[in-house]
Amino acid sequence: EHYQVPLLTERYSVGELLFTPSICGEHGSGGLQDAILSSLRRLPGGANGPAATRVCKGGLIISGGLSLLPGVRDRVQAEMVARMEPGRAPSVSTPVDYSDSLHGAWRGMASYMRECTGGSGAPQWQAGKGAAWLTRAEYEEHGADRGVALLTRRFLGATTL
């Protein structure tokens, strides 16, 4: 009692759902490239502002299980080049090995926090010194949306919302 399930285009369509969710009936939902652009637009100055320029120059790293899909790096790069002004698209990379793919985001943030705290674990609260968090009082005062904007300003060193 063995069953075989023939896979034709379904094998390749799964990855395509990341970029075109409408093929499975998710109309109105943007793909991965739309989520990246939406994130850039929410930065101070929008997708073409100085904060987005710094982010794009730093590059985009895709980690997690998604980064293991064959061709995902090239596809994201092509989508960004097609949707952004000439010369503004970030370079896209993926981790080299399996372990980095699964834990890369955690390791990157851990490294960033070590840099922010000088390795001491003690927070440096001064803006411009890597203050990448909000106190509870700041969150309660500003709320979620304004709190994220404040955090973004601190993280990127931007001076305006």
Side-chain angles (χ1 to χ4, degrees), residues 12-85:
Y12 304 100
S13 297
V14 171
E16 184 60 25
L17 287 173
L18 293 168
F19 301 96
T20 317
S22 62
I23 62 177
C24 73
E26 289 295 322
H27 299 287
S29 296
L32 178 61
Q33 68 280 6
D34 298 312
I36 295 168
L37 286 171
S38 175
S39 295
L40 290 173
R41 284 187 203 109
R42 294 189 75 180
L43 292 171
N48 294 316
T53 298
R54 284 192 294 277
V55 169
C56 289
K57 283 184 180 178
L60 175 66
I61 301 172
I62 301 172
S63 66
L66 169 64
S67 68
L68 301 173
L69 290 174
V72 74
R73 185 195 68 77
D74 295 334
R75 176 67 184 273
V76 172
Q77 182 72 59
E79 294 287 345
M80 294 293 92
V81 168
R83 285 173 168 72
M84 295 186 76
E85 291 180 7

Side-chain angles (χ1 to χ4, degrees), residues 117-146:
T117 62
S120 68
Q124 298 175 2
W125 297 106
Q126 301 85 5
K129 295 227 178 203
W133 45 77
L134 293 175
T135 65
R136 181 178 183 151
E138 288 173 322
Y139 180 83
E140 288 173 353
E141 177 185 345
H142 299 290
D145 290 339
R146 296 288 295 170

Side-chain angles (χ1 to χ4, degrees), residues 99-161:
S99 176
D100 282 343
S101 292
L102 297 180
H103 306 293
W106 183 87
R107 288 180 182 152
M109 185 51 102
S111 173
Y112 172 76
M113 293 308 291
R114 274 193 304 277
E115 184 180 312
C116 289
T117 62
S120 68
Q124 298 175 2
W125 297 106
Q126 301 85 5
K129 295 227 178 203
W133 45 77
L134 293 175
T135 65
R136 181 178 183 151
E138 288 173 322
Y139 180 83
E140 288 173 353
E141 177 185 345
H142 299 290
D145 290 339
R146 296 288 295 170
V148 167
L150 179 63
L151 186 61
T152 302
R153 262 199 332 237
R154 287 182 186 170
F155 184 73
L156 296 171
T159 57
T160 62
L161 289 177

